[in-house]
Amino acid sequence: MSCDFLALAVPGVQKLSPYVPGKPVDELARELNLDPAGIVKLASNENPLGPSPKALEAIRAELAELTRYPDGNGFELKTKLAARCGVTPAQVTLGNGSNDILDLVARAWLAPGLNAVFSQYAFAVYPIATQAVGAQGKVVPAKAHGHDLEAMLAAIDANTRVVFVANPNNPTGTWFGPDALESFLARVPQSVLVVLDEAYIEYAEGDELPDGLDYLARYPNLLVSRTFSKAYGLASLRVGYALSSPQVADVLNRVRAPFNVNSLALAAACAALDDADYLAASRRTNDAGMAQLEAGFRRLGLSWIPSKGNFIAVDFGCDAAPINQALLQAGVIVRPVAGYGMPTFLRVSIGTEGENARFLEALEQILRG
Ligand SMILES: *Cc1c(COP(=O)(O)O)cnc(C)c1O
């Protein structure tokens, strides 16, 4: 008889469900025999503008070197990020997407008998990273779909090594302000690493959201995680980074895979950092698209969770699965969030004006039909 390798897996892994990504355009095209060119994908919080021309140029210039391993220390990108963020290169850790950073944290500080605290409705990777190393995820009930930082503080116990907080959070788009973060950091035990996930921070304006970097010098137990996947438009290349104390970075550097960020990603990320016009266009497109979707939802009598990300969770007040199915039939891919415990919602990434309009028209037909 063959072995039951599921039963032999780390207990936390046995209870995990695989991450469910947004449906790829080509998959839907195959399933429904649709023209891929006519499909609108607003399901994975991707940048709708296409990559920065400067990033593309940097990638082309790098192609001839593909036989070589990439710079395992990511010297140029770390130097650029450090200068940009006002830290030293020794405080920067590069990741294969910021997802990699979350995994490195779990591998470095979590183990069976230890736990990580995170919120209900928080990013799906937190439980995966935590349970994959046999640690326990302590899920704290959300408040109005957002992080209840007071309750998260109260959930920290002697075995807590990590707290994951996303600001803004995905899939809800909820956020907290500088005062809330300050008051939280001041009370988290110094032995607990706070992972402040700022995957969408580049979309924030003014001082509604704290800038995690402002707190690094005072809180050596703070790690700020960021990504090139969203506002910088490089999701497929997989590059993210952490900013932390040099010691935390040193620990992460011990557990990471030697060449975790590839050379095309390194080159493109450097170029993207220099493309201020692209970033500004990403913001503008997002602000305009957010207003367009909110106006559409208002017109359709729908409610939604106000969001500071590049996506918005809309509430249908009933099972959203049939609406999602009808949208797919119409060639529009959005993200069901029933797996997050939000079965009446769909999460919609902000697209271009035309994509948002296509989605709203399809939705109107479905709801009126
Ligand atoms: C998209 C996202 C990430 C980043 O993913 P990458 O691995 O960098 O592509 C991290 N955290 C949250 C909350 C996200 O939504």
Side-chain angles (χ1 to χ4, degrees), residues 3-328:
C3 252
D4 183 351
F5 280 97
L6 178 60
L8 291 171
V10 173
V13 172
Q14 295 177 27
K15 286 184 232 119
L16 276 177
S17 335
Y19 181 82
V20 184
K23 193 186 262 296
V25 167
D26 287 340
E27 189 177 308
L28 181 66
R30 274 195 307 274
E31 283 175 8
L32 297 182
N33 204 14
L34 298 173
D35 176 8
I39 292 176
V40 167
K41 185 186 178 205
L42 302 173
S44 300
N45 301 347
E46 293 147 333
N47 196 312
L49 297 180
S52 145
K54 290 194 171 136
L56 288 178
E57 199 183 304
I59 289 169
R60 273 191 292 270
E62 196 59 38
L63 287 174
E65 296 296 319
L66 282 186
T67 53
R68 310 273 177 207
Y69 281 103
D71 174 3
N73 291 317
F75 175 81
E76 194 188 344
L77 180 56
K78 276 193 192 176
T79 305
K80 261 192 147 68
L81 283 170
R84 182 69 59 97
C85 299
V87 299
T88 65
Q91 294 179 267
V92 184
T93 305
L94 302 180
N96 194 259
S98 57
N99 196 134
D100 192 23
I101 300 290
L102 305 174
D103 273 332
L104 295 179
V105 165
R107 281 166 54 203
W109 286 287
L110 295 174
L114 302 175
N115 69 66
V117 169
F118 47 84
S119 177
Q120 179 189 20
Y121 309 131
F123 188 40
V125 170
Y126 306 154
I128 295 177
T130 301
Q131 289 175 232
V133 295
Q136 184 209 350
K138 282 187 96 174
V139 183
V140 177
K143 204 160 109 185
H145 288 101
H147 287 37
D148 183 345
L149 292 176
E150 293 300 320
M152 290 178 75
L153 269 173
I156 294 173
D157 63 30
N159 296 321
T160 304
R161 292 290 181 277
V162 178
V163 182
F164 291 106
V165 286
N167 199 37
N169 181 50
N170 171 19
T172 57
T174 50
W175 71 96
F176 49 82
D179 292 347
L181 178 62
E182 174 81 61
S183 147
F184 180 72
L185 289 173
R187 287 179 291 155
V188 173
Q190 290 177 3
S191 59
V192 173
L193 186 72
V194 177
V195 175
L196 179 61
D197 183 342
E198 295 189 331
Y200 302 94
I201 198 69
E202 296 86 1
Y203 292 106
E205 267 168 300
D207 51 12
E208 279 179 309
L209 267 77
D211 179 337
L213 301 182
D214 293 344
Y215 304 82
L216 273 182
R218 275 185 298 136
Y219 295 101
N221 61 329
L222 174 64
L223 177 150
V224 177
S225 145
R226 293 184 175 179
T227 182
F228 284 91
S229 298
K230 311 284 163 52
Y232 287 105
L234 298 174
S236 179
L237 285 179
R238 315 302 304 127
V239 48
Y241 57 101
L243 306 158
S244 67
S245 75
Q247 191 184 48
V248 164
D250 169 55
V251 173
L252 294 175
N253 195 40
R254 295 175 191 215
V255 293
R256 75 176 172 86
F259 302 102
N260 59 334
V261 184
N262 73 73
S263 56
L264 303 186
L266 289 171
C270 283
L273 270 183
D274 285 337
D275 196 344
D277 292 345
Y278 181 85
L279 193 63
S282 298
R283 280 212 188 109
R284 266 199 314 276
T285 305
N286 200 59
D287 290 346
M290 186 71 82
Q292 185 185 0
L293 289 188
E294 287 181 341
F297 294 154
R298 201 172 289 122
R299 193 160 42 79
L300 294 173
L302 298 170
S303 59
W304 64 89
I305 306 173
S307 167
K308 292 288 178 196
N310 67 347
F311 57 89
I312 184 166
V314 56
D315 191 2
F316 296 94
C318 61
D319 182 13
I323 296 166
N324 181 53
Q325 204 48 45
L327 283 168
L328 289 173

